[in-house]
């Protein structure tokens, strides 16, 4: 998963999405196993009517062996989105029939149904599913669109494992398209997988959207972008170009491209913007129609695609196999998410999509977040993902895990004289766990492999201090080994004293802070700023122009034009500036040959002495 990097504006963070934490429910009594079921087939029906009622119509048909009760459950969460969402809460009008005759059923717990099949061999279960969630892990409908995740609607038999094949048939209007990462079945709009894990790890986008594809190496890369015509043709082509560069670059880390087809599902201005969710052979991204998120998009695509290796296949042992009935915490999300956040920008710079300085800026941003955070252990932060964290460290395993990845990469290259790198660690773990025998990696696997490629050097102290411990990371001393230096500049920032959000051609004040300049000048929550001084403000992107114009002026007041309902206000705000520390990573002039080789090796993906840049 990836959220937009928080944008600092005024005194506060611009938060994307809701931080809702699902109701906390404790572990429940062990459920009885279902009677064996087979020939499992699902039907999902969507059309303009279901779009209007904000529902999906779902049916599951299967064969029952034996006379015992059938026990079916819906997942509590969707892998990659580490929050309990209890998908059964959206089920309406549940029914079960055999040969058209209703079967008795009741719930064993809030997400599990027990059905008395009475010896019937062919059973059908139906329900309607509420699809109005602005959430990448749930289901959403709009005019000409139905979107859902398999975890939302595909019931599974309890206690029967997940190694069973299934098919789904999508029923949609003839002029609607269907996009999913699943393998197409024999019938039109039918899809199949050999096991439940893969089956539910492929969201569906159904409706009227643009669907483009390009072939890179032996892989079809596909881009489904809703709504049709919402994303300009040259943007779609640019996206496909990026994706087709990322597939071989990211695959090179693992010496393996594990999919024949990779699908990017993109919804503009429908679900929560500014983030994505990774899936087995696909990713689902919420984007803005106006392209405001353009600078962020390549980072989003690269991050989510890297997950196809790191977490979808190479995964911590705590999450193998997935369980769907409850939370599945692990202290290793800093590898699954943070190291992915290191490799996303790396893949971009290695592909030539961004330059060295953009990669360095990204890492500097991570380091700034780490240094601005209260001390928190990476393992602890990973475990807390499921409940969020009120101390400001929620999500810190992204930038701090990325920083740990950078430090480990440098330390391995330094200890091995640039013969080995973190790439070797990722590849060896992928080979020895996922590819050889499908299991997850353990702490012994991780640190043993890191040590092996670092010439046998022990990382026990590194782990004790900086991963499972809360000591400040030795960022400056390790970066110097790669000829990099962290420069810290103090800048003076103009402050509004408000939480801002995109407005309708203006910058919306979502919340006005007590005692801040905005309040002192007479602004209220809901007001929408259209001009600051002589700088027009039509979107959040105009704020840097305001800063550039007024950050260094010496005036004590600033004029602001804002809309309040149908009124236009002209106000005068007191100017307040706050010193802010800004981090930059710069290349050290005159770094040693070894340090220069390490730095070049990281940026190009090479090891050895041949790490000089060719671009
Ligand atoms: Zn992620």
């Amino acid at each position: 998963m990836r959220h937009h990097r928080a944008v600092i504006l005024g005194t506060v963070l611009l938060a994307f999405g809701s931080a809702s934490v699902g109701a906390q429910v404790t572990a429940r009594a062990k459920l009885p196993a279902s009677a064996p079921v087979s020939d499992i087939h699902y039907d999902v029906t969507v059309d303009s009517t279901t779009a209007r009622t904000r529902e999906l119509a779902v049916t599951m048909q299967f064969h029952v062996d034996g006379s015992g009760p059938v026990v079916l459950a819906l997942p509590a969460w969707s892998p990659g989105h580490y929050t309990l969402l209890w998908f059964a809460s959206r089920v309406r009008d549940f029914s079960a029939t055999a040969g058209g005759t209703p079967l008795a059923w009741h719930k064993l717990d809030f997400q599990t149904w027990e059905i008395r099949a009475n010896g019937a061999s062919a059973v059908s279960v139906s329900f309607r599913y509420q699809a109005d969630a602005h959430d990448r892990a749930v289901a959403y409908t709009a005019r000409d669109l139905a979107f859902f995740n398999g975890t939302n609607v595909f019931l599974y038999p309890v206690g029967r494992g997940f190694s069973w094949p299934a098919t789904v048939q999508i029923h949609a209007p003839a002029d609607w398209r269907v996009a999913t990462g699943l393998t197409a079945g024999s019938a039109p709009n039918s899809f199949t997988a050999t096991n439940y894990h893969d089956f539910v790890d492929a969201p569906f986008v159904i409706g009227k959207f643009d669907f483009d594809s390009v072939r890179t190496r032996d892989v079809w890369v596909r881009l489904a972008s809703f709504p049709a015509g919402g994303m300009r043709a040259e943007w779609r082509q640019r996206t496909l170009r990026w994706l087709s560069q990322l597939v071989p670059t990211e695959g090179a880390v693992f010496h393996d491209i594990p999919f024949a087809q990779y699908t990017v599902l993109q919804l503009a201005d429908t679900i929560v913007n500014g983030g994505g969710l990774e899936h087995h052979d696909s990713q689902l991204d919420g984007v803005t129609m106006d392209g405001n998120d353009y600078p962020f998009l390549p980072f989003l695509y690269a991050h989510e695609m890297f997950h196809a290796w790191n977490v979808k296949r190479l995964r911590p042992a705590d999450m193998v196999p997935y369980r769907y009935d409850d939370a599945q915490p692990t202290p290793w999300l800093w590898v699954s998410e943070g190291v992915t956040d290191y490799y996303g920008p790396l893949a971009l710079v290695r592909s030539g999509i961004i330059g060295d300085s953009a990669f360095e800026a990204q890492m500097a941003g991570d380091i700034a977040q780490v240094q601005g955070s209260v001390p928190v252990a990476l393992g602890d932060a990973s475990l807390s993902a499921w409940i969020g964290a009120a101390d400001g460290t929620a999500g810190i395993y992204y930038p701090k895990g990325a920083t740990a990845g950078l430090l480990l990469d440098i330390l391995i290259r330094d200890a091995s004289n640039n013969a080995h790198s973190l790439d070797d660690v990722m590849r060896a773990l992928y080979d020895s766990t996922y590819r050889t025998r499908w299991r997850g990696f353990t702490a012994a696997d991780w640190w043993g492999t890191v040590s092996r490629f670092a010439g046998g050097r022990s990382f026990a102290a590194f782990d004790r201090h900086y991963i499972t411990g809360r000591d400040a990371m030795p960022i400056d001393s390790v970066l110097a080994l790669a000829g990099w230096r962290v420069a810290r500049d103090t800048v003076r920032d103009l402050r509004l004293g408000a939480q801002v959000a995109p407005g309708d051609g203006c910058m919306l004040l979502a919340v006005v802070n007590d005692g801040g300049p905005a309040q002192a000048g007479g602004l209220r929550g809901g007001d929408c700023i259209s001009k600051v001084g002589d700088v027009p403000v039509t979107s959040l992107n105009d704020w840097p122009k305001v800063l550039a114009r007024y950050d260094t002026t010496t005036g004590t007041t600033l004029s602001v034009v804002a809309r309040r309902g149908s009124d236009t206000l002209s106000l005068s705000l007191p100017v307040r500036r706050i010193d802010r520390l800004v981090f930059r990573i710069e290349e050290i002039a005159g770094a040693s040959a070894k340090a220069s080789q390490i730095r070049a090796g990281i940026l190009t993906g090479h090891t050895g002495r041949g790490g000089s840049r060719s671009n």
Side-chain angles (χ1 to χ4, degrees):
M1 185 168 68
R2 181 66 150 78
H3 288 293
H4 236 306
R5 220 176 261 292
V7 177
I8 298 169
L9 270 182
T11 57
V12 288
L13 298 177
L14 171 61
F16 286 80
S18 65
S20 71
V21 174
Q24 299 307 308
V25 181
T26 51
R28 297 168 301 284
K30 189 164 164 43
L31 295 165
S34 173
V37 301
S38 55
D39 295 339
I40 297 175
H41 176 80
Y42 304 87
D43 290 276
V44 177
T45 302
V46 294
D47 53 31
S48 54
T49 304
T50 58
R52 200 166 51 244
T53 57
R54 315 303 304 277
E55 289 176 332
L56 314 170
V58 183
T59 298
M60 176 191 189
Q61 298 176 70
F62 51 87
H63 181 90
V64 185
D65 297 310
S67 57
V70 173
V71 182
L72 302 175
L74 276 179
W77 65 290
S78 211
H81 195 74
Y82 304 106
T83 307
L84 289 169
L85 293 169
W86 312 112
F87 298 125
S89 65
R90 299 178 159 270
V91 170
R92 294 170 175 161
D93 290 347
F94 185 94
S95 69
T97 57
T101 305
L103 298 176
W105 60 268
H106 70 282
K107 278 190 159 183
L108 293 180
D109 66 24
F110 50 73
Q111 58 189 352
T112 311
W113 291 258
E114 183 180 81
I115 300 158
R116 297 278 162 191
N118 297 329
S121 64
V123 170
S124 175
V125 171
S126 295
F127 57 89
R128 293 180 296 131
Y129 197 79
Q130 184 186 336
D132 60 356
H134 291 265
D135 192 316
R136 291 179 285 273
V138 200
Y140 184 84
T141 52
R143 200 168 80 88
D144 302 334
L145 173 71
F147 156 67
F148 69 91
N149 285 269
T151 43
N152 307 155
V153 296
F154 295 144
L155 291 153
Y156 63 88
V158 170
R160 291 287 160 194
F162 297 102
S163 300
W164 38 269
T167 58
V168 58
Q169 176 73 49
I170 303 294
H171 306 271
D175 58 346
W176 285 24
R177 289 172 150 154
V178 181
T180 175
L182 284 180
T183 305
S186 45
N189 288 349
S190 77
F191 302 90
T192 182
T194 57
N195 66 82
Y196 184 80
H197 298 301
D198 297 349
F199 191 65
V200 296
D201 202 2
F204 283 79
V205 171
I206 307 162
K208 293 181 180 173
F209 52 85
D210 294 312
F211 208 177
D212 306 286
S213 61
V214 67
R215 192 140 175 93
T216 178
R217 305 288 170 95
D218 295 325
V219 176
W220 278 109
V221 178
R222 310 189 304 169
L223 172 65
S225 46
F226 176 90
M231 192 180 188
R232 300 210 307 262
E234 62 264 34
W235 292 6
R236 305 203 305 269
Q237 289 309 312
R238 183 186 59 195
T239 297
L240 281 178
R241 205 162 53 239
W242 289 336
L243 297 172
S244 61
Q245 288 169 276
L246 288 169
V247 167
T249 307
E250 297 194 342
V253 174
F254 299 89
H255 292 180
D256 184 42
I257 295 175
F259 40 73
Q261 172 180 290
Y262 189 86
T263 308
V264 173
L265 306 165
Q266 192 161 278
L267 302 179
D269 294 338
T270 47
I271 57 167
V272 177
N273 290 342
L277 184 56
E278 71 276 12
H279 296 283
H280 196 251
D281 300 324
S282 61
Q283 63 179 269
L284 185 286
D285 302 317
V287 303
T288 62
M289 198 105 70
D290 59 11
N292 272 342
D293 46 3
Y294 157 69
F296 173 70
L297 283 181
F299 292 90
L300 179 64
Y301 299 138
H303 174 101
E304 305 302 351
M305 186 189 284
F306 196 77
H307 274 312
W309 291 268
N310 189 30
V311 94
K312 286 304 165 189
R313 290 168 173 92
L314 170 62
R315 193 186 308 156
D318 312 289
M319 292 200 294
V320 178
Y322 283 131
R323 63 179 296 177
Y324 297 95
D325 61 333
D326 213 334
Q328 197 166 15
T330 172
W332 291 93
L333 280 191
W334 70 271
V335 168
S336 299
E337 291 294 353
V339 171
T340 295
D341 235 10
Y342 172 56
Y343 272 100
L346 262 192
L348 293 173
V349 72
R350 290 174 180 180
S351 303
I353 297 170
I354 63 171
D356 294 359
S357 59
F359 171 78
E360 290 161 355
Q362 192 73 14
M363 290 300 109
D366 287 337
I367 290 168
Q369 287 190 61
V370 172
Q371 303 216 338
S373 158
V374 298
V376 60
L378 278 167
D380 296 350
S382 299
L383 288 168
S384 302
W386 290 85
I387 56 169
D391 63 357
T393 63
I396 194 69
Y397 52 86
Y398 284 83
K400 194 169 183 182
T403 303
L406 172 63
L407 299 190
L408 287 172
D409 203 358
I410 295 172
L411 290 170
I412 293 164
R413 287 175 182 270
D414 183 68
S416 68
N417 216 6
N418 208 32
H420 295 293
S421 72
L422 189 62
D423 296 12
D424 294 299
V425 173
M426 301 301 285
R427 184 186 316 125
L429 286 169
Y430 179 83
D431 286 344
S432 64
T433 61
Y434 165 70
R435 285 185 98 179
T436 309
R437 193 162 59 85
W438 183 201
R439 66 176 178 89
F441 71 85
T442 62
D445 290 326
W446 176 267
W447 291 117
T449 309
V450 168
S451 176
R452 176 153 64 90
F453 286 109
R457 182 183 152 176
S458 170
F459 278 76
F462 185 92
D463 176 28
R464 194 168 61 249
H465 287 293
Y466 311 122
I467 305 294
T468 48
R470 289 182 285 276
D471 293 357
M473 287 175 152
I475 291 167
D476 294 277
S477 61
V478 176
L479 258 61
L481 299 174
W484 269 316
R485 171 173 50 223
V486 181
R488 296 161 174 83
D489 305 321
T490 301
V491 297
R492 306 212 77 190
D493 256 5
L494 195 64
R495 296 288 163 145
L496 263 186
Q499 296 183 36
V500 300
D504 184 13
C506 49
M507 186 170 80
L508 181 69
L509 301 183
V511 176
V512 170
N513 299 342
D514 282 343
Q519 189 189 54
L523 287 163
R524 304 201 298 239
D527 291 348
C528 209
I529 291 179
S530 56
K531 197 174 183 189
V532 177
D534 52 20
V535 180
V537 177
T538 59
S539 78
L540 299 183
N541 289 352
D542 289 326
W543 185 250
K545 295 174 199 160
V546 174
L547 292 183
R549 173 77 176 79
Y550 290 107
D551 242 8
T552 54
T553 57
T554 52
T556 54
T557 60
L558 198 54
S559 65
V560 167
V561 177
R563 294 208 301 263
R564 178 180 296 164
S566 55
D567 297 339
T568 299
L569 312 173
S570 289
L571 301 167
S572 179
L573 265 57
V575 167
R576 184 182 302 167
R577 295 188 183 83
I578 288 182
D579 287 347
R580 185 163 63 89
L581 209 52
V582 174
F583 289 69
R584 277 182 298 114
I585 290 181
E586 351 173 282
E587 303 188 353
I588 299 171
S592 70
K594 180 181 176 182
S596 299
Q597 279 164 8
I598 289 173
R599 186 177 65 221
I602 289 171
L603 293 169
T604 58
H606 295 132
T607 49
R609 292 176 190 281
S612 60
R613 305 304 305 268
S614 56
N615 55 337

